[in-house]
Amino acid sequence: GDSVTQMEGPVTLSEEAFLTINCTYTATGYPSLFWYVQYPGEGLQLLLKATKADDKGSNKGFEATYRKETTSFHLEKGSVQVSDSAVYFCAPFDRGSTLGRLYFGRGTQLTVWP
Amino acid sequence: DAGVIQSPRHEVTEMGQEVTLRCKPISGHNSLFWYRQTMMRGLELLIYFNNNVPIDDSGMPEDRFSAKMPNASFSTLKIQPSEPRDSAVYFCASSMTGTADTQYFGPGTRLTVL
């Protein structure tokens, strides 16, 4: 079955530091890939996505590139801010033989200090 | 446009009581998902519906849990009887079917069973 492995947190960084959160997946098909973010006390919201190999998703300074050869979708940001403190979830979308569903990773807690 | 609406936002109840959580998906979305989030288990998919029909309920923990979607604009998740281990944040999300499209999450219901 499908699964996703995320870098374990928590991750603690100083403001303006470089961020990488690793994500690898296994899938029976050719999934679309998503990163969701959950700010404290809120539901998850889409951060970025990529639907085919070598696509780069980007939003709010975050980027992730769909690497089919390594089945990875690592999240990066060049300079984090305190407001980026949140939990980040990697999620492949498996089209599969049914209607498709997202498979969420365990989430990676990010804390950014001023 | 209103997002996904969940009620109540917080629920505190005693063990053995019945709990009903409610969700109104985004108008026009025809897939609806119920998730449970805990520190120990992360984000778990409980059940999802497509066009009001349950597609996959393999994540429902046991017979004490049941979910219904009587129409396209309303769903309930019921726990009867509730137990302390059911304490969690329950999220509802909706999306368009058949595409690797974004799931939109509600703000969640924080359930505490004493």
Side-chain angles (χ1 to χ4, degrees):
Chain A
D2 292 17
S3 68
V4 55
T5 302
Q6 272 186 248
M7 188 170 90
E8 283 196 24
V11 174
T12 304
L13 296 173
S14 298
E15 208 165 26
E16 299 183 3
F18 183 84
L19 169 71
T20 299
I21 301 177
N22 291 338
C23 171
T24 57
Y25 65 91
T26 59
T28 53
Y30 193 1
S32 296
L33 301 173
F34 293 75
W35 277 99
Y36 278 76
V37 60
Q38 184 180 26
Y39 298 103
E42 299 183 11
L44 280 71
Q45 56 185 273
L46 178 68
L47 179 61
L48 53 84
K49 66 180 182 182
T51 57
K52 61 182 188 295
D54 300 325
D55 265 4
K56 178 184 285 187
S58 62
N59 186 25
K60 299 181 181 181
F62 291 88
E63 293 182 339
T65 301
Y66 192 143
R67 301 290 187 198
K68 184 170 180 245
E69 63 278 9
T70 56
T71 62
S72 64
F73 194 52
H74 304 320
L75 182 68
E76 297 181 337
K77 186 173 185 181
S79 176
V80 294
Q81 305 300 312
V82 172
S83 57
D84 294 327
S85 298
V87 182
Y88 293 81
F89 294 87
C90 182
F93 180 93
D94 173 31
R95 296 181 181 86
S97 59
T98 58
L99 294 169
R101 52 162 290 187
L102 286 169
Y103 287 83
F104 283 97
R106 292 279 302 177
T108 302
Q109 171 78 54
L110 169 66
T111 301
V112 181
W113 297 99
Chain B
D1 271 348
V4 175
I5 299 172
Q6 290 187 248
S7 64
R9 292 293 310 274
H10 301 274
E11 176 81 31
V12 180
T13 190
E14 293 189 345
M15 183 174 62
Q17 296 297 306
E18 178 181 294
V19 174
T20 300
L21 311 182
R22 297 173 176 79
C23 175
K24 177 178 169 55
I26 292 173
S27 177
H29 284 187
N30 53 5
S31 286
L32 183 140
F33 306 80
W34 282 102
Y35 292 90
R36 177 173 68 176
Q37 187 177 41
T38 61
M39 290 293 291
M40 291 296 293
R41 301 173 69 92
L43 193 66
E44 304 172 276
L45 176 66
L46 300 178
I47 185 170
Y48 76 97
F49 295 85
N50 178 251
N51 292 327
N52 313 337
V53 175
I55 301 301
D56 184 353
D57 65 354
S58 59
M60 295 286 264
E62 49 200 272
D63 291 345
R64 296 185 297 107
F65 286 69
S66 62
K68 294 182 180 179
M69 192 164 185
N71 56 61
S73 59
F74 183 66
S75 177
T76 59
L77 178 68
K78 186 175 292 187
I79 308 172
Q80 167 63 19
S82 58
E83 297 182 2
R85 61 193 167 121
D86 302 330
S87 298
V89 181
Y90 291 81
F91 289 103
C92 176
S94 70
S95 73
M96 293 297 296
T97 303
T99 68
D101 208 348
T102 304
Q103 284 188 20
Y104 292 84
F105 281 72
T109 295
R110 181 173 294 278
L111 173 65
T112 303
V113 183
L114 302 175

